[in-house]
């Protein structure tokens, strides 16, 4: 039987990753001129590619004793929930301000114009628990860095922050604290 392992870091050569990469669609000038939007709906709509994507993260993380998968609103939810199911872990959402009904921890971060706030239920994860953070794409890193700070506030152990796509030319990884080791499936 041939088994494929993604536990090593050199995964971008695998045919599965190549197929996922081929399916990601570039939409120029969305949502505003000059931005090339990486559209992942073309991956999600394909049953085989959706499965390969979730399986990729599962194989990377299956031996890491992950207790919770934390998804960043909103595309982090798409991969986060099935990944949590596979890892036999819980799923916890990080949401934009005002969406969560219970008591929250919050973290603000600066945008190009102004400020934004993300929140997590402050009783969702016990202190010291091993978690993985997941989102679709690392761009400037503002959102991901704020998510890392939020998890620092509630004192959990971030085993990794995982992305489907890393836009390396925006240097977002430099914003991430050392408490959040970063990995992405596909690099541009
Ligand atoms: P950032 O805080 O700049 O790292 O980006 C925050 C979020 O914006 C990411 O999680 C993506 O969902 C989305 N995003 C930013 N740039 C792009 C892009 N070029 N294509 C698709 N989504 C993007």
């Amino acid at each position: 039987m041939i088994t494929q392992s993604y536990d090593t870091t050199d995964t971008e050569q695998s045919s599965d990753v190549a197929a996922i990469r081929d399916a990601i669609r570039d939409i120029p000038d969305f949502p505003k001129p000059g931005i090339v939007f990486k559209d992942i709906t073309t991956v999600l709509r394909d049953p085989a590619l959706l499965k390969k994507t979730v399986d990729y993260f599962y194989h990377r993380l299956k031996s890491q004793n992950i207790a919770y998968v934390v998804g960043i609103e909103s595309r982090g939810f798409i991969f986060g929930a099935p990944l949590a199911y596979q890892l036999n872990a819980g799923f916890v959402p990080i949401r934009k301000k005002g969406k969560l009904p219970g008591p929250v921890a919050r973290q603000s971060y600066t945008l190009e114009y102004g400020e934004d706030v993300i929140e997590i239920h402050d009783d969702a994860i016990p202190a010291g628990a091993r978690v993985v953070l997941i989102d679709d794409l690392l761009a400037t890193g503002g959102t991901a860095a704020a998510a890392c700070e939020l998890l620092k506030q509630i004192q959990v152990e971030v085993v990794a922050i995982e992305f489907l796509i890393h836009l390396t030319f925006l240097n977002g990884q430099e914003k991430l604290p050392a408490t959040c080791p970063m990995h992405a499936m596909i690099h541009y």
Side-chain angles (χ1 to χ4, degrees), residues 35-38 75 135-144 167:
I35 306 278
V36 179
F37 192 86
K38 296 290 182 192
R75 274 166 276 168
D135 202 1
D136 66 326
L137 184 143
L138 180 67
T140 65
T143 320
L167 302 182

Side-chain angles (χ1 to χ4, degrees), residues 38-64:
K38 296 290 182 192
D39 178 21
I40 58 159
T41 64
T42 41
V43 175
L44 300 174
R45 66 179 291 279
D46 182 310
L49 295 182
L50 176 59
K51 189 169 189 335
K52 285 181 200 298
T53 303
V54 177
D55 286 351
Y56 170 93
F57 292 113
Y58 169 69
H59 286 293
R60 278 186 53 73
L61 296 160
K62 64 185 175 191
S63 53
Q64 292 293 327

Side-chain angles (χ1 to χ4, degrees), residues 1-5:
M1 186 174 72
I2 299 171
T3 55
Q4 203 166 21
S5 168

